[in-house]
């Protein structure tokens, strides 16, 4: 699958997952008895969908072979963080007095997810290299 098709697939999947996350957060964080504001709810879902699209679709930068891991990580982080800031500002997701906390939480969550993915891939590569060595040893016998 070429990079354009990977992006389109991931963006569509991210868009869909974003809507599901938006729905879940809307249900969990809307106080009981609150009158549903349908226009805001629709905008909330659109904002969540865009976040999913950018976050998951944008992860395609990790597939650009010419880019280092650092460049891909920094690019993806900046784009997703700026997207989150713009959407959250437009939709009023966070009060302004906690933006620093939002920045810290976003960065910590991003770092935790990145580190988890990195360790998983590192283990898979180690296992594949071990399997290759085993196959080479069997071929030489």
């Amino acid at each position: 699958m070429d990079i354009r098709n990977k992006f389109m697939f991931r963006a569509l999947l991210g868009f869909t997952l974003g809507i599901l996350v938006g729905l879940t957060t809307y249900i969990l964080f809307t106080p009981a008895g609150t009158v549903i504001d349908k226009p805001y709810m629709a905008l909330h879902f659109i904002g969540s969908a865009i976040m999913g699209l950018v976050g998951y679709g944008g992860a395609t930068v990790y597939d650009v072979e010419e880019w280092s891991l650092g460049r891909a990580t920094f690019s993806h982080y900046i784009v997703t963080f700026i997207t989150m800031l713009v959407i959250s500002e437009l939709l009023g997701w966070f009060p302004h007095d906690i933006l620093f906390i939002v920045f810290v939480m976003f960065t910590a969550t991003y770092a935790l997810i990145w580190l988890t993915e990195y360790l998983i891939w590192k283990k898979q590569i180690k296992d594949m290299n071990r399997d290759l060595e085993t196959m080479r040893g069997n071929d030489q016998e």
Side-chain angles (χ1 to χ4, degrees):
M1 184 182 319
D2 71 340
I3 200 158
R4 184 179 302 143
N5 288 337
K6 279 184 184 180
F7 172 76
M8 295 300 286
F9 175 76
R10 289 178 182 169
L12 182 60
L13 182 58
F15 187 87
T16 305
L17 291 173
I19 290 173
L20 292 174
V21 169
L23 175 63
T24 303
T25 57
Y26 195 83
I27 290 169
L28 291 176
F29 295 109
T30 301
T34 302
V35 176
I36 295 176
D37 182 354
K38 290 179 185 176
Y40 176 77
M41 187 173 68
L43 289 173
H44 173 77
F45 291 157
I46 291 169
S48 297
I50 292 170
M51 280 300 304
L53 183 148
V54 169
Y56 202 66
T60 307
V61 298
Y62 291 104
D63 295 328
V64 178
E65 293 183 17
E66 296 81 21
W67 283 22
S68 68
L69 179 59
R71 180 179 179 185
T73 299
F74 182 75
S75 299
H76 185 258
Y77 170 83
I78 291 297
V79 169
T80 54
F81 182 72
I82 290 172
T83 301
M84 187 270 307
L85 273 182
V86 169
I87 291 172
S88 68
E89 179 64 26
L90 291 172
L91 297 178
W93 282 350
F94 309 110
H96 289 138
D97 59 341
I98 67 161
L99 284 181
F100 181 73
I101 295 169
V102 170
F103 165 73
V104 170
M105 294 301 293
F106 182 90
T107 302
T109 303
Y110 190 96
L112 182 63
I113 292 169
W114 184 92
L115 181 61
T116 302
E117 288 290 322
Y118 176 80
L119 293 174
I120 289 169
W121 280 102
K122 187 175 179 177
K123 182 185 179 318
Q124 287 179 344
I125 290 168
K126 183 179 177 183
D127 291 347
M128 287 175 13
N129 284 334
R130 185 192 66 240
D131 292 346
L132 283 172
E133 286 300 319
T134 302
M135 289 169 41
R136 283 188 189 138
N138 290 340
D139 287 345
Q140 293 175 358
E141 293 176 0

